[in-house]
Amino acid sequence: MINNDNLKTARLVIDEAFSKGNYKVLYDCFPPTFVEHQFGLHPSIEGLQSDIEFLRQAFPDLRLVIESMVADGDKVWVLAKARGTNLGGFMGPPNGKSFEIWVFDLLRFEGGLIVEHWGSPDRFALLAQLEMLPQKEQARR
């Protein structure tokens, strides 16, 4: 069974919080007890907001574009393209490099709210495109 409300909520978080910095939607879409499973992210709404703020500071032009969403019962799977430019500093000073990576997310809902999140951004591609991986000559040393 497809729950269109869950699809709308998932889209709202991506379009508003991540792409526009409208963090109020987080408090409308997540209960205070939600569980974060993605490595390195904070396990609270305030922490999630802080994580998104960090990304938007490092990449002020950050945009996530949903390529595909699938809902089944209480779960929504999202495939999105994330794009941005390192203008605010990420793992060091800004270098002006841009990236475009795939992001997979799984959201579990209860009562119309996101109660669990698992995410898998292509972090290796992110670091490669931002030229933050050792180059061949550096790796040989």
Side-chain angles (χ1 to χ4, degrees):
M1 179 173 119
I2 296 175
N3 186 328
N4 287 323
D5 289 339
N6 290 352
L7 291 170
K8 288 178 187 175
T9 299
R11 182 175 296 282
L12 184 67
V13 169
I14 291 168
D15 291 347
E16 291 297 320
F18 280 90
S19 292
K20 296 180 184 174
N22 178 7
Y23 307 117
K24 180 186 178 306
V25 302
L26 299 175
Y27 296 86
D28 296 335
C29 298
F30 294 84
T33 56
F34 96 96
V35 178
E36 178 59 68
H37 297 283
Q38 183 174 324
F39 178 80
L41 295 186
H42 294 91
S44 67
I45 298 172
E46 294 80 10
L48 176 58
Q49 178 176 334
S50 174
D51 292 332
I52 298 170
E53 286 173 343
F54 169 77
L55 288 173
R56 293 186 53 74
Q57 286 172 346
F59 310 105
D61 59 346
L62 178 69
R63 294 291 174 269
L64 274 77
V65 176
I66 296 170
E67 299 288 333
S68 178
M69 286 199 311
V70 176
D72 184 27
D74 65 348
K75 294 183 180 68
V76 171
W77 286 263
V78 180
L79 172 62
K81 271 281 180 143
R83 297 176 177 94
T85 309
N86 183 1
L87 300 175
F90 179 76
M91 296 176 60
N95 65 11
K97 302 292 181 188
S98 296
F99 72 90
E100 179 178 282
I101 63 169
W102 289 107
V103 179
F104 289 97
D105 289 293
L106 170 58
L107 309 166
R108 188 175 71 80
F109 286 79
E110 283 181 10
L113 298 176
I114 301 166
V115 295
E116 287 187 272
H117 169 258
W118 296 261
S120 183
D122 190 345
R123 290 179 175 154
F124 190 80
L126 172 71
L127 295 176
Q129 291 173 41
L130 295 177
E131 297 183 5
M132 295 181 158
L133 295 175
Q135 302 300 308
K136 284 184 181 182
E137 290 305 313
Q138 290 174 325
R140 291 182 189 163
R141 294 182 198 168

